[in-house]
Amino acid sequence: MGGSSSEPITAYVAPDQRATAQGVAEHVSLYNGRKAPLRLHILIVGCGLGGLAAAYCLAQAGHRVTVVEAAHAIGEVGAGIQVTPNVTRLLRRWGLADAIERVAVRPEAIVFRRYKTGERVGYTKWGDKMEEYGAPYYHIHRADFHKLLFDLAAPNMTLRLKSTVVGVDPDAPSLTLASGEVLHGDVIIGADGVKSYVQQVVIGRANPAQPTGDAAYRAIIPTSVMLEDPDLKPFVDTPEMTAWMGPGTHLMAYNIRAKQEFNMVLLHPDDGSVESWTAEGSAEKMRADFKDYEPRVQKLLQHVKSTLKWRLMDRQPLEKWVHSSGRVALLGDSCHPMLPYRAQGAAMAIEDAAVLGNLFSRLSHPSQIAPLLHAYQNLRLKRTADTQASSRLNQKIFHLPDGPAQEARDADMRAAMELEFRLLRGEHVDVTLEGSHNQWADRKKNMAQFGYDADAVADRWWADVGEREIGSLGQQQQAVKVNGRLGSRSHHHHHH
């Protein structure tokens, strides 16, 4: 939900009452208790998951934060989201371990099925095995996730709703709102999503996202109706992430909200839908698009009353995320939108926020602002580009038409599944499954994706490079501080 979006928000869903983290932030101390010796005023455009995570981390780093959001209310739409170990690791550090357990579901495995028959062609065990990566894998409702991050950020941020950004002065730096009001700060972070306004300012041109040829339906049904049907009950009893793969289409399904709701994402060829998280799709049309799927899927879809629909957009990695003024930077979907086929869109935004907060906990002099923003970009660009590529790869893998390539994919997934069952029986199998069509079976890919620790990355960079190159800038002159605002702008140098 970008700060620049003018769409009316129709489909906000109330968070679960158990989704609360009030009072948590005051008992958490990040960055080993380090607060930036120089306190900045940071303006964040966009109050989505990335904007809230950035607000929390930058406030924890000692800065004053104002979040600017176009919408009239704070919230999220009706859909599930996957919280992978690379995110859970951070959320636990941020004090959310208990709160997540109350509203999330830990999937026991990921299962791939043939669309027509429902036959299982792929299987990777999750559950406790995710602790290999140092943290669990969860399924959660977006509205619950948003509320938890809001509760963390709220005590230490100023939130401006109904504030559409219509201008950015990157040198001041300042934001101009539709009302005519001008907000001044020391740094501007554009967390304003896939239709980002700040992005155009940073790269100096419009860069519309490209349609991928796919669109998605999102639907949620109560698990109570599934528990009454012997065919559907097992999907609740054993919470797994289930993927049915078909020609040009696939369906991902999993439990959320402590198994009270079942979330389905149905991917299909784009027929001119709009790119939006909130557009209503037709449940009838959705059923027609998936009529070739096995009987259990037909039963699930009968329970769908309404659906959200959106067009999936993608962008090649940007050449830069930081404006040449050294005062404006991008975060999350505004610089690296993801196809949802690796469940890493929100994850990347939250990692961005963690790296940014960690780096800015070191700030002691205004001359360090630009180099720290460039360090953030350089630490994050390859990571997010690799993840975008991994997500695109799944688009191809999941949607093969029936035929030799699809049969080869299924055989490859089956081989990985057989090895998985041998491992689970306690046999010693020496294999990494590198390059498997089931990217979740590829141990090396998983370690790269799920083993990543954003804080460790930032700490290591500071120890290796930052302290020597940037820390010294702070010792050269004592920082000028006036009411938490920078003093004169005359000491503003560019470091690249």
Side-chain angles (χ1 to χ4, degrees):
M1 241 119 286
S4 63
S5 153
S6 55
E7 275 173 45
I9 300 303
T10 50
Y12 277 174
V13 169
D16 189 296
Q17 60 199 21
R18 289 163 300 182
T20 176
Q22 277 164 333
V24 166
E26 63 211 46
H27 302 294
V28 174
S29 174
L30 300 183
Y31 318 124
N32 299 320
R34 185 175 56 245
K35 303 280 182 200
L38 176 62
R39 185 170 192 240
L40 302 183
H41 178 204
I42 298 177
L43 303 173
I44 297 174
V45 183
C47 194
L49 297 168
L52 286 174
Y56 175 62
C57 291
L58 288 163
Q60 278 276 347
H63 301 290
R64 185 177 141 219
V65 175
T66 300
V67 176
V68 180
E69 169 58 55
H72 288 226
I74 285 301
E76 260 293 356
V77 299
I81 188 168
Q82 310 192 39
V83 185
T84 52
N86 45 315
V87 188
T88 313
R89 165 181 295 109
L90 297 171
L91 301 180
R92 281 178 163 182
R93 203 170 282 156
W94 298 354
L96 292 180
D98 294 343
I100 296 174
E101 279 286 346
R102 287 197 295 272
V103 290
V105 175
R106 286 195 194 206
E108 292 179 21
I110 179 168
V111 179
F112 292 95
R113 296 183 182 278
R114 180 117 173 89
Y115 74 106
K116 269 186 196 154
T117 60
E119 178 204 351
R120 190 165 65 173
V121 295
Y123 181 93
T124 300
K125 180 89 172 95
W126 283 357
D128 299 341
K129 282 193 65 174
M130 276 293 158
E131 295 287 348
E132 279 177 37
Y133 309 112
Y137 195 120
Y138 288 116
H139 288 146
I140 189 171
H141 194 296
R142 284 189 86 91
D144 299 348
F145 194 15
H146 193 268
K147 169 71 161 55
L148 294 180
L149 291 178
F150 180 81
D151 286 350
L152 286 185
N156 297 304
M157 72 177 180
T158 302
L159 175 61
R160 302 284 308 265
L161 291 171
K162 302 183 216 169
S163 299
T164 301
V165 173
V166 296
V168 176
D169 178 341
D171 294 300
S174 66
L175 299 172
T176 302
L177 305 181
S179 64
E181 187 183 352
V182 178
L183 300 179
H184 286 271
D186 301 311
V187 169
I188 294 168
I189 301 297
D192 50 345
V194 73
K195 299 175 186 170
S196 172
Y197 176 82
V198 182
Q199 184 204 69
Q200 296 182 40
V201 174
V202 167
I203 63 174
R205 60 188 168 85
N207 178 44
Q210 300 304 313
T212 58
D214 285 359
Y217 293 106
R218 290 254 185 194
I220 288 179
I221 63 176
T223 51
S224 53
V225 297
M226 296 168 65
L227 290 170
E228 290 163 15
D229 184 329
D231 284 341
L232 302 182
K233 187 172 183 287
F235 291 114
V236 185
D237 290 343
T238 306
E240 294 172 332
M241 181 158 93
T242 305
W244 283 265
M245 300 180 292
T249 59
H250 79 277
L251 161 56
M252 279 279 180
Y254 52 84
N255 292 272
I256 53 173
R257 288 204 159 151
K259 297 214 297 196
Q260 289 166 347
E261 294 180 352
F262 194 66
N263 182 73
M264 290 180 280
V265 191
L266 301 98
L267 290 299
H268 62 104
D270 185 5
D271 50 15
S273 58
V274 288
E275 180 200 354
S276 154
W277 295 91
T278 53
E280 285 284 339
S282 148
E284 284 308 311
K285 170 117 179 45
M286 177 193 67
R287 282 189 274 271
D289 285 345
F290 286 81
K291 65 181 186 311
D292 295 339
Y293 275 55
E294 61 139 318
R296 290 178 300 179
V297 170
Q298 303 308 320
K299 280 186 162 179
L300 288 168
L301 299 185
Q302 283 311 315
H303 293 296
V304 174
K305 304 274 189 293
S306 70
T307 156
L308 297 171
K309 181 176 180 184
W310 79 100
R311 168 181 279 178
L312 297 180
M313 307 297 277
D314 195 15
R315 269 199 194 95
Q316 291 308 311
L318 298 181
E319 63 275 19
K320 63 173 187 175
W321 298 358
V322 178
H323 188 274
S324 52
S325 69
R327 289 290 183 274
V328 184
L330 303 172
L331 179 145
D333 284 355
S334 70
C335 44
H336 50 69
M338 303 277 151
L339 286 174
Y341 304 151
R342 193 85 168 105
Q344 291 290 303
M348 292 299 110
I350 287 165
E351 288 180 2
D352 289 348
V355 169
L356 197 58
N358 192 311
L359 293 176
F360 272 77
S361 70
R362 313 260 182 196
L363 185 85
S364 59
H365 191 269
S367 62
Q368 298 170 329
I369 296 172
L372 284 175
L373 287 177
H374 282 106
Y376 153 73
Q377 169 192 288
N378 297 339
L379 287 174
R380 296 294 304 153
L381 224 158
K382 182 177 186 313
R383 164 79 173 166
T384 54
D386 288 349
T387 304
Q388 283 175 310
S390 174
S391 304
R392 284 187 201 109
L393 177 60
N394 272 344
Q395 180 186 25
K396 294 199 174 46
I397 291 171
F398 292 167
H399 291 177
L400 293 173
D402 289 346
Q406 161 259 322
E407 286 163 14
R409 173 201 69 196
D410 292 356
D412 177 79
M413 283 193 170
R414 265 195 209 93
M417 175 166 67
E418 291 311 316
L419 285 168
E420 185 77 1
F421 289 138
R422 285 172 58 192
L423 280 169
L424 293 174
R425 287 196 295 267
E427 295 178 35
H428 178 68
V429 182
D430 184 27
V431 69
T432 60
L433 295 169
E434 206 170 324
S436 173
H437 280 86
N438 173 357
Q439 288 198 72
W440 283 270
D442 184 328
R443 295 253 184 295
K444 194 170 159 192
K445 271 190 186 167
N446 280 339
M447 197 42 90
Q449 201 63 50
F450 302 148
Y452 181 95
D453 183 329
D455 283 312
V457 166
D459 288 342
R460 194 161 53 236
W461 175 83
W462 183 259
D464 293 349
V465 179
E467 196 159 15
R468 189 177 67 250
E469 290 186 2
I470 294 178
S472 58
L473 298 172
Q475 283 121 41
Q476 285 161 17
Q477 333 155 248
Q478 262 321 100
V480 190
K481 276 176 77 173
V482 187
N483 303 334
R485 288 268 306 125
L486 298 186
S488 86
R489 308 275 325 167
S490 60
H491 51 233
H492 178 118
H493 307 293
H494 291 313
H495 292 270
H496 291 287

